[in-house]
Protein backbone atom coordinates (compact mmCIF):
# COMPACT_ATOMS: atom_id res chain seq x y z
CA UNK A 1 0.00 0.00 0.00
CA UNK A 2 1.21 3.48 -0.80
CA UNK A 3 -0.10 6.66 0.71
CA UNK A 4 -0.84 9.97 -0.90
CA UNK A 5 1.15 12.88 0.53
CA UNK A 6 -0.90 15.89 1.47
CA UNK A 7 -0.47 18.93 3.68
CA UNK A 8 -2.36 18.13 6.85
CA UNK A 9 -1.36 21.27 8.75
CA UNK A 10 -4.62 22.41 10.25
CA UNK A 11 -6.77 20.48 7.79
CA UNK A 12 -7.52 17.60 10.15
CA UNK A 13 -8.51 19.98 12.94
CA UNK A 14 -10.62 22.15 10.63
CA UNK A 15 -12.54 19.11 9.39
CA UNK A 16 -12.82 17.32 12.73
CA UNK A 17 -14.21 20.43 14.44
CA UNK A 18 -17.07 20.40 11.98
CA UNK A 19 -18.06 16.73 12.30
CA UNK A 20 -20.81 16.33 14.86
CA UNK A 21 -21.32 13.22 16.99
CA UNK A 22 -24.95 12.10 17.18
CA UNK A 23 -25.34 9.50 19.94
CA UNK A 24 -27.71 6.55 19.54
CA UNK A 25 -28.29 7.11 15.82
CA UNK A 26 -29.46 5.20 13.83
CA UNK A 27 -29.78 2.79 16.75
CA UNK A 28 -28.86 2.71 20.45
CA UNK A 29 -25.14 2.39 21.11
CA UNK A 30 -24.05 3.87 17.77
CA UNK A 31 -22.37 7.28 17.60
CA UNK A 32 -23.13 8.64 14.12
CA UNK A 33 -20.56 10.96 12.53
CA UNK A 34 -22.63 13.75 10.98
CA UNK A 35 -20.74 15.67 8.27
CA UNK A 36 -23.54 18.14 7.50
CA UNK A 37 -21.96 20.92 9.63
CA UNK A 38 -18.76 20.49 7.56
CA UNK A 39 -20.74 20.71 4.33
CA UNK A 40 -22.47 23.87 5.56
CA UNK A 41 -19.12 25.62 6.12
CA UNK A 42 -17.75 26.77 2.75
CA UNK A 43 -14.18 27.11 4.08
CA UNK A 44 -14.14 23.56 5.49
CA UNK A 45 -15.94 22.03 2.51
CA UNK A 46 -13.62 23.89 0.14
CA UNK A 47 -10.52 22.70 2.01
CA UNK A 48 -11.80 19.12 1.92
CA UNK A 49 -12.56 19.38 -1.80
CA UNK A 50 -9.10 20.84 -2.48
CA UNK A 51 -7.34 18.07 -0.55
CA UNK A 52 -9.22 15.30 -2.33
CA UNK A 53 -8.80 16.98 -5.75
CA UNK A 54 -5.03 17.11 -5.15
CA UNK A 55 -5.14 13.39 -4.49
CA UNK A 56 -7.07 12.80 -7.72
CA UNK A 57 -4.45 14.76 -9.64
CA UNK A 58 -1.51 13.10 -7.85
CA UNK A 59 -2.83 9.61 -8.63
CA UNK A 60 -3.44 10.39 -12.31
CA UNK A 61 -7.16 9.69 -11.96
CA UNK A 62 -9.31 10.27 -15.02
CA UNK A 63 -12.60 9.65 -13.18
CA UNK A 64 -13.88 9.86 -9.61
CA UNK A 65 -16.40 7.31 -8.36
CA UNK A 66 -18.56 8.51 -5.47
CA UNK A 67 -20.32 5.96 -3.26
CA UNK A 68 -23.99 6.41 -2.43
CA UNK A 69 -25.04 8.59 -0.82
CA UNK A 70 -22.74 10.98 1.03
CA UNK A 71 -19.85 9.97 -1.20
CA UNK A 72 -21.73 11.70 -4.04
CA UNK A 73 -21.65 14.98 -2.14
CA UNK A 74 -17.87 14.78 -1.75
CA UNK A 75 -16.88 13.18 -5.06
CA UNK A 76 -18.76 15.44 -7.48
CA UNK A 77 -16.98 18.69 -6.50
CA UNK A 78 -13.66 16.80 -6.31
CA UNK A 79 -14.09 15.66 -9.91
CA UNK A 80 -15.07 19.15 -11.01
CA UNK A 81 -12.11 20.75 -9.21
CA UNK A 82 -9.70 18.16 -10.67
CA UNK A 83 -11.18 18.59 -14.16
CA UNK A 84 -12.18 14.94 -14.52
CA UNK A 85 -15.41 12.94 -14.77
CA UNK A 86 -17.71 11.89 -11.91
CA UNK A 87 -19.40 8.47 -11.77
CA UNK A 88 -22.04 7.67 -9.13
CA UNK A 89 -21.97 4.15 -7.69
CA UNK A 90 -25.62 3.63 -6.75
CA UNK A 91 -27.61 1.06 -4.87
CA UNK A 92 -28.99 -1.60 -7.21
CA UNK A 93 -32.03 -0.60 -9.21
CA UNK A 94 -31.49 3.18 -9.01
CA UNK A 95 -29.80 3.77 -12.38
CA UNK A 96 -31.66 3.65 -15.71
CA UNK A 97 -30.29 1.70 -18.65
CA UNK A 98 -27.58 -0.94 -18.79
CA UNK A 99 -25.64 -1.31 -15.55
CA UNK A 100 -22.80 -3.34 -14.14
CA UNK A 101 -23.29 -4.47 -10.54
CA UNK A 102 -21.25 -5.86 -7.68
CA UNK A 103 -22.82 -7.65 -4.72
CA UNK A 104 -21.19 -7.58 -1.28
CA UNK A 105 -21.80 -8.86 2.20
CA UNK A 106 -22.79 -6.72 5.15
CA UNK A 107 -22.77 -7.68 8.80
CA UNK A 108 -26.57 -8.00 8.61
CA UNK A 109 -27.15 -9.24 5.05
CA UNK A 110 -26.08 -8.33 1.55
CA UNK A 111 -26.29 -5.39 -0.83
CA UNK A 112 -25.31 -4.46 -4.39
CA UNK A 113 -23.94 -1.34 -6.03
CA UNK A 114 -24.11 -0.46 -9.73
CA UNK A 115 -22.62 1.92 -12.25
CA UNK A 116 -23.68 2.57 -15.83
CA UNK A 117 -21.96 -0.08 -17.95
CA UNK A 118 -20.54 2.45 -20.43
CA UNK A 119 -19.17 4.97 -17.89
CA UNK A 120 -15.72 3.39 -17.48
CA UNK A 121 -13.24 2.17 -20.09
CA UNK A 122 -9.85 0.47 -20.09
CA UNK A 123 -8.28 3.93 -20.45
CA UNK A 124 -9.68 5.14 -17.11
CA UNK A 125 -7.85 5.40 -13.79
CA UNK A 126 -10.45 5.72 -11.05
CA UNK A 127 -10.24 7.31 -7.60
CA UNK A 128 -12.99 6.12 -5.26
CA UNK A 129 -14.20 8.80 -2.82
CA UNK A 130 -16.45 8.31 0.20
CA UNK A 131 -17.21 10.06 3.46
CA UNK A 132 -16.55 7.25 5.95
CA UNK A 133 -14.69 3.97 5.79
CA UNK A 134 -16.33 1.73 8.38
CA UNK A 135 -16.34 -2.03 7.73
CA UNK A 136 -15.12 -1.49 4.14
CA UNK A 137 -17.76 -3.57 2.35
CA UNK A 138 -19.03 -0.88 0.01
CA UNK A 139 -15.54 0.41 -0.84
CA UNK A 140 -14.30 -3.14 -1.49
CA UNK A 141 -17.26 -3.75 -3.83
CA UNK A 142 -16.60 -0.47 -5.67
CA UNK A 143 -12.94 -1.38 -6.25
CA UNK A 144 -13.98 -4.78 -7.63
CA UNK A 145 -16.65 -3.16 -9.81
CA UNK A 146 -14.12 -0.73 -11.30
CA UNK A 147 -11.82 -3.58 -12.28
CA UNK A 148 -14.73 -5.61 -13.69
CA UNK A 149 -15.60 -2.61 -15.85
CA UNK A 150 -12.08 -2.81 -17.31
CA UNK A 151 -10.73 0.35 -15.66
CA UNK A 152 -7.75 0.66 -13.31
CA UNK A 153 -8.01 1.69 -9.66
CA UNK A 154 -6.09 4.90 -8.96
CA UNK A 155 -6.84 4.83 -5.23
CA UNK A 156 -9.34 5.21 -2.41
CA UNK A 157 -9.81 8.43 -0.44
CA UNK A 158 -12.13 8.93 2.51
CA UNK A 159 -12.81 11.84 4.81
CA UNK A 160 -13.02 9.69 7.94
CA UNK A 161 -11.86 6.17 8.83
CA UNK A 162 -13.35 4.41 11.84
CA UNK A 163 -10.27 2.29 12.58
CA UNK A 164 -11.94 0.15 15.24
CA UNK A 165 -14.15 -1.42 12.53
CA UNK A 166 -11.12 -2.70 10.56
CA UNK A 167 -12.38 -1.56 7.15
CA UNK A 168 -8.84 -0.70 6.06
CA UNK A 169 -7.83 -4.36 6.29
CA UNK A 170 -10.73 -5.29 4.04
CA UNK A 171 -9.86 -2.81 1.26
CA UNK A 172 -6.06 -3.05 1.21
CA UNK A 173 -5.99 -6.35 -0.69
CA UNK A 174 -8.41 -4.94 -3.27
CA UNK A 175 -6.27 -1.81 -3.69
CA UNK A 176 -3.14 -3.82 -4.56
CA UNK A 177 -0.54 -1.03 -4.63
CA UNK A 178 -2.96 1.82 -5.31
CA UNK A 179 -2.90 4.47 -2.56
CA UNK A 180 -5.31 4.70 0.35
CA UNK A 181 -5.98 8.02 2.07
CA UNK A 182 -8.03 8.81 5.17
CA UNK A 183 -7.91 12.50 6.08
CA UNK A 184 -9.06 11.67 9.63
CA UNK A 185 -8.65 8.35 11.44
CA UNK A 186 -10.53 7.70 14.68
Amino acid sequence: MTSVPHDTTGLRELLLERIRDVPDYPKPGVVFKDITPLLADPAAFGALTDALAKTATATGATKVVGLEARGFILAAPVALRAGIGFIPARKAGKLPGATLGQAYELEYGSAEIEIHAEDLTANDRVLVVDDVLATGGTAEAALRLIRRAGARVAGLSVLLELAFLDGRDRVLAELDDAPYQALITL
Side-chain angles (χ1 to χ4, degrees):
M1 173 191 74
T2 59
S3 62
V4 176
H6 59 280
D7 178 18
T8 59
T9 308
L11 178 63
R12 183 182 192 281
E13 292 76 22
L14 174 69
L15 301 176
L16 197 52
E17 287 172 358
R18 285 155 182 84
I19 298 173
R20 175 177 49 202
D21 285 348
V22 180
D24 298 321
Y25 183 82
K27 61 184 185 178
V30 173
V31 178
F32 182 78
K33 299 297 185 185
D34 181 14
I35 67 167
T36 58
L38 186 157
L39 300 173
D41 180 330
F45 193 20
L48 171 60
T49 300
D50 287 344
L52 295 175
K54 285 178 186 175
T55 299
T57 301
T59 61
T62 60
K63 300 270 174 68
V64 175
V65 165
L67 305 182
E68 188 163 335
R70 293 185 303 177
F72 295 172
I73 298 168
L74 303 184
V78 166
L80 185 62
R81 182 89 31 101
I84 59 180
F86 166 70
I87 310 291
R90 304 274 335 248
K91 293 176 183 173
K94 300 289 185 180
L95 291 171
T99 60
L100 183 61
Q102 180 69 48
Y104 61 101
E105 295 302 315
L106 301 165
E107 55 276 7
Y108 52 85
S110 62
E112 184 176 357
I113 58 171
E114 295 178 332
I115 60 171
H116 278 126
E118 71 277 1
D119 284 350
L120 295 176
T121 71
N123 295 324
D124 285 317
R125 290 184 46 81
V126 183
L127 177 68
V128 175
V129 171
D130 204 6
D131 63 327
V132 175
L133 181 70
T135 62
T138 308
E140 178 186 45
L143 296 169
R144 288 180 179 169
L145 184 56
I146 290 162
R147 286 198 177 94
R148 285 188 48 233
R152 292 172 290 154
V153 172
L156 169 64
S157 291
V158 297
L159 165 60
L160 178 66
E161 176 186 343
L162 302 176
F164 64 93
L165 294 174
D166 299 320
R168 178 187 295 229
D169 294 338
R170 189 168 181 177
V171 298
L172 286 182
E174 223 34 69
L175 279 167
D176 293 327
D177 287 327
Y180 168 75
Q181 173 189 45
L183 295 175
I184 300 169
T185 301
L186 299 177

